[in-house]
């Protein structure tokens, strides 16, 4: 099993900073300077790439190109071959850190990016060799951060396979179906409870898995099966092994209770720190997920 795309896009580019000292934590990426969405919003088909939602985008008037729409990416990512085709210019005075002190991805400026009739412009994107990770004909050419539309609601209707982008905001968080996430980066997260243990994980539409937790939970949770090797996740600074096991206890998120046959364990790093884990398609496929990145809220509605 490989979770390379979700980890590569969501965690490895989360340390994009202006030139200067780099802190080993997630950093908010500047919002696009232009955001234009029709009053009625836009609704478009959700294509699927191994459990990851895909939309067609146009960049600087060219395309369409298939991009994964990812709540787990703090910055939009463009495959290096596509960046070359589009002659994207490097952003002045900006660098990226690999999380291990080395050089990270090249940062470029995108003038315009269209998703149907919605448009964002004047924003930064990271350039990475995604084709090396997505070794499939017709694979997506990039990853579009779902946080790129502040002031809008970005909805993933997984049961109906639809994406909607419209202006608006979610109601106040109630910790039942609407959750507020901390102001410590661009990645939305939700509080969960599993087998009596409470923690918080990233809500990650870029992950095709179910639930992934740090490896310390292998000794904290009541397992009903022996952990088994489930491959590794490739990161900019190396790789992280993944184990899987069955747990004696359901996953609870607000009012929802989800029975899982197995969960995954991996010490995915955000800069120099182990990340909190993530919640992926294996759970989200039964929900309508709505992101309000400006208010830092996310809503889950089970169909």
């Amino acid at each position: 099993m490989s979770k390379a795309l979700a980890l590569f896009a969501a965690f490895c580019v989360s340390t994009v900073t202006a030139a200067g000292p780099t802190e080993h934590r997630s950093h908010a990426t500047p919002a696009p300077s232009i955001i234009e969405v029709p009053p009625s919003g836009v609704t478009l088909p959700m294509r699927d790439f191994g459990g990851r939602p895909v939309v067609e985008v146009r960049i600087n008037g060219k395309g369409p190109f298939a991009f994964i729409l990812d709540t787990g990416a703090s910055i939009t990512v463009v495959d290096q071959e596509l960046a070359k085709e589009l002659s994207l210019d490097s952003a002045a005075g900006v660098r990226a850190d690999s999380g291990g002190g080395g050089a990270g991805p090249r940062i470029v400026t995108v003038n315009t990016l269209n998703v149907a009739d919605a448009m964002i412009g004047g924003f930064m994107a990271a350039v990475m060799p995604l084709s090396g990770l997505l070794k499939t004909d017709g694979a997506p050419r990039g990853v579009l951060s779902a946080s790129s539309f502040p002031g809008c609601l970005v909805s993933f209707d997984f049961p109906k396979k639809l994406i909607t982008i419209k202006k608006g905001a979610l109601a106040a968080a109630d910790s039942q179906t609407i959750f507020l996430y901390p102001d410590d980066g661009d990645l939305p997260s939700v509080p969960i409870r599993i087998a009596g243990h409470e923690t918080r994980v990233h809500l990650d539409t870029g992950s095709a898995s179910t639930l992934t937790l740090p490896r310390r939970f292998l000794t904290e949770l009541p397992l009903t099966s022996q952990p088994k090797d489930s491959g590794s996740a490739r990161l900019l600074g190396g790789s992280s092994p993944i184990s899987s096991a069955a747990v004696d206890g359901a996953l609870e998120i607000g009012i929802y209770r989800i029975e899982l046959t197995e969960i995954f364990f991996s010490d995915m790093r955000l800069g120099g720190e182990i990340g909190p884990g993530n919640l992926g398609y294996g759970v989200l496929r039964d929900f309508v997920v709505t992101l309000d990145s400006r208010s830092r809220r996310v809503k889950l509605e089970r169909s």
Side-chain angles (χ1 to χ4, degrees):
M1 172 198 158
S2 173
K3 303 176 70 171
L5 177 67
L7 304 182
F8 198 78
F11 295 104
C12 296
V13 301
S14 62
T15 51
V16 175
T17 65
T22 301
E23 297 175 311
H24 293 298
R25 62 179 180 84
S26 180
H27 287 262
T29 302
S33 59
I34 303 171
I35 301 174
E36 296 179 357
V37 178
S40 60
V42 298
T43 298
L44 61 154
M46 178 195 296
R47 292 172 51 191
D48 179 273
F49 179 76
R52 304 173 180 96
V54 172
V55 296
E56 289 191 342
V57 308
R58 298 182 67 86
I59 297 178
N60 297 346
K62 298 180 180 179
F65 309 108
F67 270 51
I68 293 169
L69 185 59
D70 191 359
T71 59
S74 63
I75 186 172
T76 292
V77 181
V78 180
D79 177 62
Q80 63 182 11
E81 292 302 318
L82 178 57
K84 184 176 181 180
E85 290 176 27
L86 297 174
S87 301
L88 297 181
D89 295 327
S90 296
V94 178
R95 67 181 178 85
D97 176 65
S98 68
R106 183 167 70 96
I107 305 301
V108 297
T109 299
V110 177
N111 294 328
T112 62
L113 182 148
N114 290 78
V115 182
D117 291 329
M119 187 271 282
I120 55 177
F123 66 95
M124 294 187 298
V127 175
M128 294 185 180
L130 293 180
S131 58
L133 296 173
L134 308 176
K135 298 178 180 179
T136 305
D137 290 339
R141 307 292 302 276
V143 177
L144 174 60
S145 170
S147 297
S148 298
F149 298 86
C152 299
L153 299 176
V154 179
S155 295
F156 302 76
D157 188 333
F158 285 98
K160 293 183 179 179
K161 299 295 183 184
L162 293 174
I163 297 289
T164 299
I165 304 172
K166 64 180 181 180
K167 294 180 180 179
L170 288 174
D174 57 13
S175 299
Q176 300 297 305
T177 62
I178 301 177
F179 307 92
L180 182 69
Y181 56 95
D183 187 12
D184 59 358
D186 275 357
L187 302 182
S189 61
V190 292
I192 68 168
R193 182 180 176 89
I194 183 164
H197 291 255
E198 296 183 354
T199 187
R200 179 176 284 272
V201 295
H202 288 137
L203 190 150
D204 189 357
T205 60
S207 169
S209 187
T210 51
L211 171 66
T212 303
L213 295 173
R215 295 185 68 86
R216 65 180 175 84
F217 282 95
L218 282 168
T219 58
E220 295 181 11
L221 295 178
L223 304 183
T224 59
S225 69
Q226 288 295 316
K228 62 181 180 182
D229 180 14
S230 294
S232 63
R234 283 181 286 167
L235 308 171
L236 274 178
S239 63
S240 176
I242 301 172
S243 299
S244 62
V247 174
D248 183 14
L251 168 65
E252 297 173 78
I253 312 169
I255 65 172
Y256 304 113
R257 181 181 174 90
I258 302 105
E259 300 290 342
L260 297 177
T261 56
E262 68 177 355
I263 64 175
F264 299 88
F265 304 86
S266 183
D267 284 343
M268 304 164 292
R269 292 186 177 272
L270 284 164
E273 302 175 359
I274 295 174
N278 59 36
L279 195 67
Y281 173 77
V283 173
L284 302 178
R285 63 188 176 188
D286 295 326
F287 289 85
V288 177
V289 178
T290 302
L291 175 67
D292 176 355
S293 60
R294 173 169 290 171
S295 301
R296 309 189 67 80
R297 297 172 188 149
V298 62
K299 181 176 183 179
L300 298 178
E301 299 173 273
R302 184 147 61 183
S303 176

